[in-house]
Short mmCIF file of all heavy atoms in Angstrom, two decimals:
data_model
loop_
_atom_site.label_atom_id
_atom_site.label_comp_id
_atom_site.label_asym_id
_atom_site.label_seq_id
_atom_site.Cartn_x
_atom_site.Cartn_y
_atom_site.Cartn_z
N PHE U 14 91.76 32.55 -74.16
CA PHE U 14 90.90 33.15 -73.13
C PHE U 14 91.64 33.14 -71.81
O PHE U 14 92.27 32.15 -71.46
CB PHE U 14 89.61 32.35 -72.97
CG PHE U 14 88.68 32.50 -74.14
CD1 PHE U 14 88.49 31.44 -75.02
CD2 PHE U 14 88.02 33.70 -74.34
CE1 PHE U 14 87.64 31.59 -76.10
CE2 PHE U 14 87.17 33.84 -75.43
CZ PHE U 14 86.98 32.78 -76.30
N ASN U 16 91.16 33.37 -67.83
CA ASN U 16 90.21 33.41 -66.72
C ASN U 16 91.01 33.50 -65.45
O ASN U 16 91.41 32.49 -64.88
CB ASN U 16 89.35 32.14 -66.71
CG ASN U 16 88.01 32.40 -67.37
OD1 ASN U 16 87.63 33.56 -67.55
ND2 ASN U 16 87.32 31.34 -67.72
N VAL U 21 93.24 29.60 -71.49
CA VAL U 21 92.81 28.54 -72.39
C VAL U 21 93.22 28.95 -73.81
O VAL U 21 92.75 29.95 -74.33
CB VAL U 21 91.27 28.34 -72.36
CG1 VAL U 21 90.91 27.02 -72.99
CG2 VAL U 21 90.78 28.40 -70.93
N VAL U 23 92.65 28.39 -77.20
CA VAL U 23 91.61 27.70 -77.98
C VAL U 23 92.01 27.54 -79.44
O VAL U 23 92.00 26.43 -79.96
CB VAL U 23 90.26 28.44 -77.87
CG1 VAL U 23 89.19 27.69 -78.63
CG2 VAL U 23 89.85 28.57 -76.41
N GLY U 41 84.03 19.50 -85.89
CA GLY U 41 85.08 19.26 -84.90
C GLY U 41 84.45 18.93 -83.58
O GLY U 41 83.28 19.19 -83.36
N PRO U 42 85.25 18.34 -82.69
CA PRO U 42 84.69 17.95 -81.39
C PRO U 42 84.24 19.15 -80.56
O PRO U 42 84.69 20.27 -80.80
CB PRO U 42 85.86 17.22 -80.70
CG PRO U 42 87.07 17.58 -81.48
CD PRO U 42 86.67 17.99 -82.83
N SER U 43 83.38 18.85 -79.65
CA SER U 43 82.85 19.92 -78.80
C SER U 43 83.99 20.61 -78.04
O SER U 43 84.89 19.95 -77.52
CB SER U 43 81.84 19.32 -77.82
OG SER U 43 81.30 20.35 -77.04
N GLY U 44 83.94 21.91 -78.02
CA GLY U 44 84.94 22.67 -77.25
C GLY U 44 86.21 22.95 -78.03
O GLY U 44 87.17 23.49 -77.49
N CYS U 45 86.24 22.62 -79.32
CA CYS U 45 87.49 22.80 -80.07
C CYS U 45 87.64 24.23 -80.58
O CYS U 45 88.68 24.59 -81.09
CB CYS U 45 87.55 21.82 -81.22
SG CYS U 45 86.41 22.20 -82.53
N GLY U 46 86.59 25.00 -80.47
CA GLY U 46 86.73 26.42 -80.83
C GLY U 46 86.00 26.83 -82.09
O GLY U 46 86.31 27.87 -82.69
N LYS U 47 85.00 26.07 -82.48
CA LYS U 47 84.27 26.39 -83.71
C LYS U 47 83.47 27.70 -83.55
O LYS U 47 83.53 28.59 -84.40
CB LYS U 47 83.31 25.25 -84.06
CG LYS U 47 83.97 23.89 -84.20
CD LYS U 47 83.00 22.80 -84.55
CE LYS U 47 81.96 22.51 -83.48
NZ LYS U 47 82.50 21.89 -82.25
N SER U 48 82.73 27.75 -82.47
CA SER U 48 81.94 28.97 -82.25
C SER U 48 82.86 30.17 -82.11
O SER U 48 82.60 31.24 -82.66
CB SER U 48 81.09 28.84 -80.99
OG SER U 48 80.20 27.76 -81.11
N THR U 49 83.94 29.96 -81.37
CA THR U 49 84.91 31.04 -81.18
C THR U 49 85.36 31.58 -82.53
O THR U 49 85.42 32.79 -82.75
CB THR U 49 86.11 30.51 -80.39
OG1 THR U 49 85.63 29.96 -79.17
CG2 THR U 49 87.10 31.61 -80.11
N GLU U 170 75.74 26.13 -85.80
CA GLU U 170 74.81 25.02 -85.56
C GLU U 170 73.37 25.44 -85.82
O GLU U 170 72.53 25.36 -84.92
CB GLU U 170 74.97 24.50 -84.13
CG GLU U 170 76.36 23.94 -83.89
CD GLU U 170 76.52 23.32 -82.52
OE1 GLU U 170 75.57 22.66 -82.08
OE2 GLU U 170 77.58 23.51 -81.90
N HIS U 203 77.50 19.62 -86.22
CA HIS U 203 77.96 18.37 -85.64
C HIS U 203 77.52 17.17 -86.47
O HIS U 203 78.00 16.07 -86.28
CB HIS U 203 77.36 18.19 -84.23
CG HIS U 203 78.17 18.87 -83.18
ND1 HIS U 203 77.61 19.73 -82.27
CD2 HIS U 203 79.49 18.84 -82.91
CE1 HIS U 203 78.56 20.19 -81.49
NE2 HIS U 203 79.72 19.67 -81.86
N LYS Y 369 79.40 39.21 -77.56
CA LYS Y 369 79.25 37.78 -77.40
C LYS Y 369 78.45 37.44 -76.14
O LYS Y 369 77.53 36.64 -76.16
CB LYS Y 369 80.64 37.16 -77.29
CG LYS Y 369 80.77 35.83 -77.94
CD LYS Y 369 82.22 35.40 -77.90
CE LYS Y 369 82.37 34.24 -76.93
NZ LYS Y 369 83.78 33.88 -76.74
N TYR Y 375 75.28 35.35 -71.28
CA TYR Y 375 76.08 35.11 -70.08
C TYR Y 375 75.63 36.06 -69.01
O TYR Y 375 75.31 37.21 -69.29
CB TYR Y 375 77.57 35.44 -70.30
CG TYR Y 375 78.29 34.59 -71.28
CD1 TYR Y 375 79.40 35.09 -71.96
CD2 TYR Y 375 77.89 33.29 -71.54
CE1 TYR Y 375 80.09 34.32 -72.86
CE2 TYR Y 375 78.59 32.51 -72.44
CZ TYR Y 375 79.68 33.03 -73.11
OH TYR Y 375 80.35 32.28 -74.00
N1 ATP O 1 84.64 33.66 -72.63
C1 ATP O 1 85.38 32.54 -72.47
N2 ATP O 1 86.24 32.48 -71.43
C2 ATP O 1 87.00 31.37 -71.25
N3 ATP O 1 86.94 30.32 -72.01
C3 ATP O 1 86.11 30.33 -73.07
C4 ATP O 1 85.27 31.44 -73.33
N4 ATP O 1 84.53 31.18 -74.44
C5 ATP O 1 84.90 29.94 -74.81
N5 ATP O 1 85.82 29.44 -73.99
C6 ATP O 1 86.48 28.13 -74.12
O1 ATP O 1 86.94 27.98 -75.44
C7 ATP O 1 86.79 26.66 -75.87
C8 ATP O 1 86.04 26.68 -77.20
O2 ATP O 1 84.73 27.11 -77.03
P1 ATP O 1 83.72 27.12 -78.25
O3 ATP O 1 82.42 27.62 -77.75
O4 ATP O 1 84.32 27.83 -79.37
O5 ATP O 1 83.62 25.56 -78.58
P2 ATP O 1 82.80 24.86 -79.72
O6 ATP O 1 83.77 24.27 -80.60
O7 ATP O 1 81.82 25.80 -80.33
O8 ATP O 1 82.06 23.73 -78.91
P3 ATP O 1 80.57 23.14 -79.14
O9 ATP O 1 80.65 22.24 -80.28
O10 ATP O 1 80.30 22.42 -77.87
O11 ATP O 1 79.67 24.30 -79.38
C9 ATP O 1 86.05 25.92 -74.78
O12 ATP O 1 86.98 25.13 -74.11
C10 ATP O 1 85.54 26.98 -73.88
O13 ATP O 1 85.59 26.55 -72.57
#
Side-chain angles (χ1 to χ4, degrees):
Chain U
F14 289 109
N16 261 345
V21 196
V23 182
S43 182
C45 71
K47 304 180 295 291
S48 299
T49 304
E170 298 184 40
H203 274 129
Chain Y
K369 217 173 110 186
Y375 295 154

